[in-house]
Amino acid sequence: MNLSKYTITVYLIFYNLFGLLSAQKFHIVEKKLSSEIKIINDLKFDNKTLWMASGNGLFGLENGVLKSYSKNKERNKLKINSIEIDSFGNKWLGTYYGELIKFNNDEILSVINFNKYLNDENPIITDISISAQEHNILLSTASGKILYYDFLNATIGTIKSPVNTMIYSINYGDDKNIWLCSADGFFLKHANGKWKKKQGMYLAYGIFNQVGNYWAIGRNHDKKALLMLYYKHENLSGAKYVWKKFELDELPNQYARFYELAVVGEYAWITSDIGLIKYDVLSGRLTLIDKYQNIDLKKIRHITRQDNNTLWISTAGNKLYRLEIKKK
């Protein structure tokens, strides 16, 4: 395919996926947080509240007001590593200690303990994925375990894992598929099937559902940074999901470590160890923002989308910023 045909094809893909495209300027504002927050492990936005997982508990920021939830029902200190939110607004929290906590209306509703399946020294819950159709919640751990909680029948158990090393994330995908991103690669499991390793991705850091499309970040077999999109493609035989790989030729360090991703319009905003990356998926133009005013963006780790105009980003420590998008 020549360049002009390629450009037209990519344009049509993203016009159909995201609607009218437009360039974006941005402005970053720091949000001062309480010294009670020592480290931010995860960010999720729900309705009007930005939720922050922390080793010092769960925090919610709404209309500039910070709420703290630092104790469980037994008055023990909460150590939260991951957050997921279901369609009913329940917050599901993964702890450092192999627990899944259901939280809503400012209180803990239940605690599901998986310790009997975690006879190791690293029971931390790294990620959570919810399937409303299957009434299941999947959890991954830092030691390569996969756990499940059936919230309809209140049963727990394990799923055989294809790895015994760090699982960065686990996700329900399209048509009851399960995706697993790990230090050993990217794996796919169909319903009632076996795990299969996807070729072309040596290491997978995460796959993110953004407005019905799935974006994966990792490394290729040359260990270079990799960005891929899994989207529904219309053809003569009907619609089906296909993968598209993006060549990050303008990346100043091809071996950069990607962390998380959020998409607004045709721009993918990627956090990395070399700074915040603004990537135009239509043109392939990449902008590296390592500093903004007095903000060191090489320390940015987490990112979540509030709406078409606002992203939230945080450091591996306790710094939080609001990224305001302004269309040209």
Side-chain angles (χ1 to χ4, degrees):
M1 180 182 291
N2 64 40
L3 183 60
S4 61
K5 287 184 178 180
Y6 173 83
T7 303
I8 292 171
T9 300
V10 175
Y11 179 87
L12 290 175
I13 288 170
F14 286 96
Y15 185 89
N16 290 331
L17 291 180
F18 305 114
L20 185 63
L21 307 176
S22 59
Q24 297 175 354
K25 290 184 176 181
F26 67 94
H27 179 57
I28 299 176
V29 180
E30 182 176 0
K31 173 61 184 176
K32 296 293 185 181
L33 295 176
S34 165
S35 59
E36 185 180 359
I37 302 178
K38 305 299 182 184
I39 182 170
I40 298 173
N41 295 319
D42 199 3
L43 295 175
K44 288 290 188 301
F45 190 89
D46 175 54
N47 196 10
K48 297 180 181 179
T49 305
L50 175 70
W51 295 97
M52 290 170 276
S54 170
N56 295 80
L58 176 69
F59 295 85
L61 180 66
E62 182 176 338
N63 297 323
V65 178
L66 186 70
K67 290 185 177 181
S68 170
Y69 309 92
S70 59
K71 304 288 184 181
N72 64 15
K73 289 182 177 181
E74 290 73 34
R75 308 304 299 164
N76 295 322
K77 190 174 182 179
L78 284 175
K79 290 183 175 291
I80 309 299
N81 188 59
S82 52
I83 307 174
E84 190 54 86
I85 303 172
D86 67 24
S87 58
F88 300 102
N90 298 306
K91 287 75 188 172
W92 296 91
L93 315 174
T95 73
Y96 287 18
Y97 307 119
E99 298 170 324
L100 176 65
I101 296 174
K102 183 180 181 181
F103 180 93
N104 206 347
N105 296 322
D106 293 353
E107 65 175 324
I108 292 174
L109 303 181
S110 59
V111 178
I112 301 94
N113 192 304
F114 291 88
N115 283 340
K116 66 179 181 180
Y117 300 109
L118 300 173
N119 299 320
D120 53 60
E121 298 179 355
N122 202 355
I124 189 168
I125 303 298
T126 56
D127 199 24
I128 303 168
S129 185
I130 301 171
S131 171
Q133 295 81 6
E134 296 297 301
H135 311 293
N136 271 348
I137 297 178
L138 292 177
L139 304 94
S140 58
T141 74
S143 58
K145 300 285 179 59
I146 303 174
L147 312 166
Y148 76 82
Y149 171 56
D150 183 329
F151 51 83
L152 183 63
N153 300 305
T155 57
I156 66 174
T158 63
I159 294 176
K160 185 177 180 180
S161 173
V163 301
N164 55 15
T165 55
M166 167 72 77
I167 299 176
Y168 295 109
S169 70
I170 191 164
N171 300 79
Y172 280 107
D174 66 301
D175 196 26
K176 301 179 184 179
N177 291 332
I178 300 173
W179 286 316
L180 183 145
C181 298
S182 76
D184 286 336
F186 185 41
F187 294 83
L188 167 67
K189 184 180 184 299
H190 297 294
N192 301 318
K194 296 181 179 180
W195 288 105
K196 294 183 179 180
K197 189 172 185 179
K198 179 173 176 55
Q199 300 304 310
M201 188 173 280
Y202 163 79
L203 182 153
Y205 292 121
I207 184 165
F208 306 89
N209 187 342
Q210 299 283 303
V211 200
N213 302 298
Y214 299 89
W215 296 81
I217 55 176
R219 296 187 186 278
N220 63 21
H221 285 289
D222 294 325
K223 299 185 180 180
K224 295 180 179 179
L226 179 66
L227 171 65
M228 298 181 70
L229 168 66
Y230 190 63
Y231 71 99
K232 187 171 286 188
H233 177 63
E234 300 282 348
N235 56 36
L236 295 177
S237 60
K240 68 174 183 178
Y241 275 93
V242 297
W243 284 101
K244 172 175 175 51
K245 182 171 68 174
F246 295 92
E247 302 295 339
L248 304 175
D249 296 331
E250 295 185 17
L251 197 64
N253 179 0
Q254 296 292 320
Y255 303 95
R257 202 292 196 194
F258 291 164
Y259 293 104
E260 296 180 6
L261 172 150
V263 174
V264 178
E266 75 275 29
Y267 287 92
W269 296 82
I270 307 169
T271 59
S272 79
D273 61 359
I274 60 173
L276 181 65
I277 296 167
K278 177 186 174 187
Y279 181 69
D280 186 333
V281 296
L282 176 60
S283 68
R285 186 175 300 112
L286 184 149
T287 304
L288 175 64
I289 311 152
D290 55 357
K291 291 183 180 179
Y292 181 86
Q293 296 179 358
N294 294 321
I295 302 170
D296 182 1
L297 293 173
K298 291 181 182 179
K299 296 182 179 180
I300 293 295
R301 295 294 181 269
H302 306 291
I303 185 167
T304 192
R305 184 179 185 270
Q306 175 175 327
D307 51 39
N308 287 334
N309 303 307
T310 307
L311 298 173
W312 291 91
I313 54 178
S314 68
T315 65
N318 60 358
K319 298 292 186 181
L320 177 69
Y321 305 96
R322 185 175 69 251
L323 191 154
E324 300 169 348
I325 296 171
K326 299 179 180 180
K327 295 180 180 179
K328 295 181 181 178

